């Protein structure tokens, strides 16, 4: 088993596109790692550069501490599953799975042993004699995985492993994939443009944009504290509210509860809203943790719809006030859009508690969930340790 | 329109997709049938007829040929020169088409796949040139190339005075026809290779397959049908090709006399039109048999 170290990696296509643009990345041994980003951001190119199918223009790739930047793909100890699975249509499942062994001239008896063992691992028993065309999409995907596993690589690379499956199968395959990776403990890098998939599967996520790394962290970190507005926008099934605002007070807000626990405002783990700062936004105001930005500075206020609460009665303290415009059913939740002084704000509420359109509501949020981004650069503004009262 | 107005005239409405009706449909294809009949079917049938006569270019039999039954065919069975021609045709087809054009065409297509578009287009243009130039022009170029005195080949190899076309006539023909016909195979294989999904080639590369293993396990299974079709076409064209005559006239001493050349020599040098027609018919039958074998192979694939 092996980790992957990437330093200053750039991949430039002959047409001049810098698809990967100076990337540093470390994937730990046994980690399930996601490359996430919008279409065309260079995820596939990065994966292919790790595999050796594209030549790195700058930088180095190390697998298991060995520099493989100039090593042939077949000699890197890397197995890859392509987006279209790339099964050989004229070979049956068994031949497909053991093709890596055939290339290495492993005896036929050993090969059929490996085929039945790997097929068992991936619930493909009974299908060994079939041709790929006679398999369902999910089965084809498992054959492709089986072939990659049978090649006994140190690293497994998956390009959009779930994108060719229909929605229902995708959930099933997702669970299957995660369990398989846990059982095998093989270092795995997978590419996806679906943030939900990355959040669900990965130990860590690298969010990419235009060939550059925008954030690296655990699914929880990336979801709760996106370090820039790009990531904030991209992550989450309901988009984060990103609203223009102004710093109204950077600490010690009158009437707001004093912090009882300084760490709560730091890591956001406690629900007690220790409002120590204030931003005015969308005609109202929201509490925010202390930060060094001067009062009056323009900022972008980020707040997830999931972290906003609808209060129908009178609210004291900082809140946004507005009129419900529309409610969209998301299953167990509804996304309610509220018009706050001309700005549309999304908020999720539990099913069957949606306020009717036209209702006047107030929205509140805990200070720890309100994120402030630099108005120009879109970078998250650093919080400061709250002064001990 | 046609089907709407047809019942008014008391005819059954046309049932075909175009709504033409049989009569008008036949009217449309009649000119084509006439041309095919006049220039393809009639000569073929006429050849079969002449093949059972003792028709000659000159003399009494030229004026009033008589039917001689199958004697032309029995003569062919015992004609050593005809056997020689058959053998040489086989060598010619095997050497220049099945091996030469096929392998060279595929190799070029395989290499061109990864080269820059500018290089690819230049090579394609040159190879196509060999294909589109008229036979006579090409033959003249190759006679000059092989020439004993001042020929390009002798100049290149420093073997002044070697009469290639006389000393090695079949080898010369094989090289010539390989050069001339490779363009077709190259173009056909170029487009066939596009049908091989790149991810399958890359899968093979990822598991460390060698070039040969990739060809055998990934590429060839995808282009099997193309290989068969290409081999069929170039085999038939080569077997019927008359351009060897332009280089060697079948000589020296029948050493490069393939069947089409032999037919020409028998008909116009020997004047035996009846006998040459019989041989033509045998060549036609051979072509048909080869086609049937290929078609069977093609069908077994699917
Ligand atoms: N073979 C190629 N030649 C030139 N440009 C390419 C090639 N493949 C991808 N690109 C470009 O590189 C960028 C990244 O592509 P890709 O890695 O496929 O993105 P993703 O997988 O994130 O959708 C895109 O702008 C794309 O147009
Ligand atoms: Mg991609």
């Amino acid at each position: 088993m092996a980790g992957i170290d990437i330093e200053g990696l750039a991949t430039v296509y002959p047409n001049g596109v810098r698809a990967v643009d100076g990337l540093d990345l470390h994937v730990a041994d046994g980690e399930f790692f996601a490359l996430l980003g919008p279409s065309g951001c260079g995820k596939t190119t990065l994966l292919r550069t790790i595999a050796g199918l594209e030549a790195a223009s700058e930088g180095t790739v190390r697998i298991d501490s060995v520099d493989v930047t100039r090593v042939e793909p077949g000699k890197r100890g890397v197995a890859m599953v392509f987006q279209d699975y790339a099964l050989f249509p004229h070979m049956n499942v068994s031949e497909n799975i053991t093709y890596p062994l055939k290339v290495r001239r492993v005896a036929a008896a050993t090969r059929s042993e490996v085929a039945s063992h790997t097929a068992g691992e991936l619930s493909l028993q009974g299908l060994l004699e079939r041709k790929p065309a006679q398999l369902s999409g999910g089965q084809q995907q498992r054959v492709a995985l089986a072939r990659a596993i049978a090649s006994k690589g140190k690293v497994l690379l998956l390009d959009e492993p779930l994108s060719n499956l229909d929605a229902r199968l995708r959930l099933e395959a997702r669970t299957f994939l995660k369990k398989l990776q846990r059982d095998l403990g093989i270092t795995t890098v997978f590419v996806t443009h679906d943030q939900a998939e990355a959040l669900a599967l990965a130990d860590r996520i690298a969010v990419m944009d235009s060939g550059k790394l925008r954030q690296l962290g655990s699914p929880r970190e990336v979801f709760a504290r996106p370090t820039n507005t790009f990531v904030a926008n991209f992550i989450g099934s309901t988009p984060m509210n990103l609203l223009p605002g102004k710093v109204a007070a950077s600490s010690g807000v009158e009437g707001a509860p004093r912090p009882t626990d300084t760490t709560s405002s730091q890591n956001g783990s406690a629900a007690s809203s220790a409002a120590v700062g204030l931003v005015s936004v969308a005609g109202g105001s929201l509490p925010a943790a202390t930060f060094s930005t001067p009062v009056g500075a323009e900022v972008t206020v980020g707040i997830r719809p999931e972290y906003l609460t609808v209060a129908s009665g009178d609210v004291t303290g900082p809140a946004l006030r507005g009129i419900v415009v529309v409610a969209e059913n998301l299953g167990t939740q509804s996304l309610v859009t509220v018009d706050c002084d001309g700005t549309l704000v999304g908020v999720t509420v539990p099913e069957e508690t949606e306020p009717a359109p036209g209702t006047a509501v107030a929205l509140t949020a805990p200070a720890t969930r309100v994120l402030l981004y630099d108005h120009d650069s879109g970078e998250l503004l650093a919080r400061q340790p709250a002064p001990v009262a | 329109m046609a089907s709407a107005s047809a019942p008014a005239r008391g005819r059954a409405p046309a049932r075909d997709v175009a709504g033409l009706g049989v009569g008008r449909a036949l009217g449309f294809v009649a000119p084509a049938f006439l041309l095919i009949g006049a220039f393809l079917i009639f000569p073929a049938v006429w050849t079969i007829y002449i093949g059972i006569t003792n028709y000659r270019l000159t003399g009494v039999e030229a004026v009033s040929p008589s039917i001689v039954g199958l004697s032309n065919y029995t003569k062919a069975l015992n004609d050593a020169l005809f056997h020689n021609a058959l053998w040489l045709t086989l060598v010619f087809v095997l050497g220049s088409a099945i091996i030469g054009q096929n392998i060279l065409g595929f190799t070029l297509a395989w290499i061109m796949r990864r080269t820059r578009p500018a290089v690819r287009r230049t090579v394609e243009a040159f190879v196509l040139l060999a294909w589109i130039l008229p036979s006579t022009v090409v033959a003249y170029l190759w006679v000059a190339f092989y020439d004993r005195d001042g020929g390009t080949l002798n100049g290149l190899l420093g073997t002044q005075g070697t009469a290639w076309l006389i000393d090695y006539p079949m080898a010369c023909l094989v090289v010539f026809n390989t050069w001339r016909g490779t363009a077709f195979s190259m173009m056909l294989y170029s487009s066939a290779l596009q049908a091989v999904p790149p991810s399958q080639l890359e899968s093979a590369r990822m598991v460390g397959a060698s070039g040969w293993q990739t060809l055998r396990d990934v590429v060839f299974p995808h282009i099997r049908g193309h290989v068969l079709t290409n081999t069929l076409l170039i085999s038939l064209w080569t077997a019927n090709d008359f351009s060897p005559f332009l280089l060697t006239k079948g000589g020296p001493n029948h050493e490069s006399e393939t069947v089409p050349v032999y037919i020409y020599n028998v008909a116009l040098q020997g004047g035996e039109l009846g006998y040459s027609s019989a041989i033509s018919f045998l060549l036609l039958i051979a072509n048909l048999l080869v086609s049937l074998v290929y078609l069977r192979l093609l069908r077994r694939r699917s």
Side-chain angles (χ1 to χ4, degrees), chain A residues 51-63:
Chain A
L53 293 171
E54 303 292 345
S57 314
E58 296 159 25
T60 54
V61 178
R62 276 193 209 89
I63 294 174

PDB file of all heavy atoms in Angstrom, chain A residues 51-63:
ATOM      1  N   ALA A  51      -1.825   8.569 -13.367  1.00  0.00           N
ATOM      2  CA  ALA A  51      -1.747   7.246 -14.000  1.00  0.00           C
ATOM      3  C   ALA A  51      -0.590   7.156 -14.982  1.00  0.00           C
ATOM      4  O   ALA A  51      -0.098   6.069 -15.267  1.00  0.00           O
ATOM      5  CB  ALA A  51      -3.056   6.937 -14.722  1.00  0.00           C
ATOM      6  N   GLY A  52      -0.167   8.310 -15.523  1.00  0.00           N
ATOM      7  CA  GLY A  52       0.906   8.301 -16.507  1.00  0.00           C
ATOM      8  C   GLY A  52       0.397   8.331 -17.932  1.00  0.00           C
ATOM      9  O   GLY A  52       1.166   8.243 -18.876  1.00  0.00           O
ATOM     10  N   LEU A  53      -0.919   8.460 -18.097  1.00  0.00           N
ATOM     11  CA  LEU A  53      -1.479   8.507 -19.453  1.00  0.00           C
ATOM     12  C   LEU A  53      -1.269   9.883 -20.076  1.00  0.00           C
ATOM     13  O   LEU A  53      -1.280  10.028 -21.296  1.00  0.00           O
ATOM     14  CB  LEU A  53      -2.965   8.159 -19.427  1.00  0.00           C
ATOM     15  CG  LEU A  53      -3.263   6.714 -19.039  1.00  0.00           C
ATOM     16  CD1 LEU A  53      -4.743   6.503 -18.810  1.00  0.00           C
ATOM     17  CD2 LEU A  53      -2.749   5.765 -20.105  1.00  0.00           C
ATOM     18  N   GLU A  54      -1.113  10.909 -19.233  1.00  0.00           N
ATOM     19  CA  GLU A  54      -0.699  12.227 -19.725  1.00  0.00           C
ATOM     20  C   GLU A  54       0.658  12.514 -19.088  1.00  0.00           C
ATOM     21  O   GLU A  54       0.888  12.169 -17.929  1.00  0.00           O
ATOM     22  CB  GLU A  54      -1.691  13.321 -19.309  1.00  0.00           C
ATOM     23  CG  GLU A  54      -3.120  13.108 -19.753  1.00  0.00           C
ATOM     24  CD  GLU A  54      -3.322  13.200 -21.253  1.00  0.00           C
ATOM     25  OE1 GLU A  54      -2.418  13.710 -21.945  1.00  0.00           O
ATOM     26  OE2 GLU A  54      -4.373  12.747 -21.727  1.00  0.00           O
ATOM     27  N   ALA A  55       1.528  13.151 -19.857  1.00  0.00           N
ATOM     28  CA  ALA A  55       2.849  13.460 -19.329  1.00  0.00           C
ATOM     29  C   ALA A  55       2.773  14.757 -18.526  1.00  0.00           C
ATOM     30  O   ALA A  55       2.171  15.729 -18.965  1.00  0.00           O
ATOM     31  CB  ALA A  55       3.839  13.597 -20.475  1.00  0.00           C
ATOM     32  N   ALA A  56       3.386  14.751 -17.350  1.00  0.00           N
ATOM     33  CA  ALA A  56       3.441  15.964 -16.546  1.00  0.00           C
ATOM     34  C   ALA A  56       4.366  16.961 -17.219  1.00  0.00           C
ATOM     35  O   ALA A  56       5.438  16.603 -17.693  1.00  0.00           O
ATOM     36  CB  ALA A  56       3.946  15.632 -15.155  1.00  0.00           C
ATOM     37  N   SER A  57       3.926  18.215 -17.311  1.00  0.00           N
ATOM     38  CA  SER A  57       4.779  19.242 -17.912  1.00  0.00           C
ATOM     39  C   SER A  57       5.739  19.818 -16.876  1.00  0.00           C
ATOM     40  O   SER A  57       6.851  20.217 -17.197  1.00  0.00           O
ATOM     41  CB  SER A  57       3.934  20.363 -18.502  1.00  0.00           C
ATOM     42  OG  SER A  57       2.883  19.830 -19.257  1.00  0.00           O
ATOM     43  N   GLU A  58       5.277  19.911 -15.641  1.00  0.00           N
ATOM     44  CA  GLU A  58       6.118  20.387 -14.540  1.00  0.00           C
ATOM     45  C   GLU A  58       5.779  19.577 -13.307  1.00  0.00           C
ATOM     46  O   GLU A  58       4.698  19.020 -13.200  1.00  0.00           O
ATOM     47  CB  GLU A  58       5.812  21.869 -14.224  1.00  0.00           C
ATOM     48  CG  GLU A  58       6.138  22.836 -15.334  1.00  0.00           C
ATOM     49  CD  GLU A  58       5.353  24.142 -15.182  1.00  0.00           C
ATOM     50  OE1 GLU A  58       4.970  24.469 -14.044  1.00  0.00           O
ATOM     51  OE2 GLU A  58       5.132  24.802 -16.201  1.00  0.00           O
ATOM     52  N   GLY A  59       6.714  19.576 -12.358  1.00  0.00           N
ATOM     53  CA  GLY A  59       6.430  18.965 -11.065  1.00  0.00           C
ATOM     54  C   GLY A  59       6.671  17.471 -11.040  1.00  0.00           C
ATOM     55  O   GLY A  59       7.113  16.875 -12.033  1.00  0.00           O
ATOM     56  N   THR A  60       6.381  16.872  -9.892  1.00  0.00           N
ATOM     57  CA  THR A  60       6.650  15.453  -9.731  1.00  0.00           C
ATOM     58  C   THR A  60       5.444  14.726  -9.143  1.00  0.00           C
ATOM     59  O   THR A  60       4.628  15.310  -8.458  1.00  0.00           O
ATOM     60  CB  THR A  60       7.825  15.205  -8.760  1.00  0.00           C
ATOM     61  OG1 THR A  60       7.540  15.876  -7.534  1.00  0.00           O
ATOM     62  CG2 THR A  60       9.138  15.689  -9.316  1.00  0.00           C
ATOM     63  N   VAL A  61       5.376  13.444  -9.462  1.00  0.00           N
ATOM     64  CA  VAL A  61       4.382  12.544  -8.869  1.00  0.00           C
ATOM     65  C   VAL A  61       5.167  11.428  -8.198  1.00  0.00           C
ATOM     66  O   VAL A  61       6.029  10.810  -8.825  1.00  0.00           O
ATOM     67  CB  VAL A  61       3.459  11.936  -9.950  1.00  0.00           C
ATOM     68  CG1 VAL A  61       2.485  10.965  -9.308  1.00  0.00           C
ATOM     69  CG2 VAL A  61       2.732  13.020 -10.704  1.00  0.00           C
ATOM     70  N   ARG A  62       4.922  11.217  -6.909  1.00  0.00           N
ATOM     71  CA  ARG A  62       5.577  10.098  -6.217  1.00  0.00           C
ATOM     72  C   ARG A  62       4.509   9.136  -5.735  1.00  0.00           C
ATOM     73  O   ARG A  62       3.499   9.548  -5.186  1.00  0.00           O
ATOM     74  CB  ARG A  62       6.376  10.592  -5.017  1.00  0.00           C
ATOM     75  CG  ARG A  62       7.754  11.067  -5.404  1.00  0.00           C
ATOM     76  CD  ARG A  62       8.639  11.245  -4.182  1.00  0.00           C
ATOM     77  NE  ARG A  62       9.596  12.291  -4.480  1.00  0.00           N
ATOM     78  CZ  ARG A  62       9.369  13.575  -4.245  1.00  0.00           C
ATOM     79  NH1 ARG A  62       8.260  13.945  -3.649  1.00  0.00           N
ATOM     80  NH2 ARG A  62      10.247  14.479  -4.592  1.00  0.00           N
ATOM     81  N   ILE A  63       4.733   7.871  -5.976  1.00  0.00           N
ATOM     82  CA  ILE A  63       3.837   6.843  -5.443  1.00  0.00           C
ATOM     83  C   ILE A  63       4.683   5.960  -4.550  1.00  0.00           C
ATOM     84  O   ILE A  63       5.729   5.464  -4.983  1.00  0.00           O
ATOM     85  CB  ILE A  63       3.193   6.032  -6.585  1.00  0.00           C
ATOM     86  CG1 ILE A  63       2.271   6.938  -7.392  1.00  0.00           C
ATOM     87  CG2 ILE A  63       2.422   4.843  -6.027  1.00  0.00           C
ATOM     88  CD1 ILE A  63       1.685   6.311  -8.620  1.00  0.00           C
TER      89      ILE A  63
END
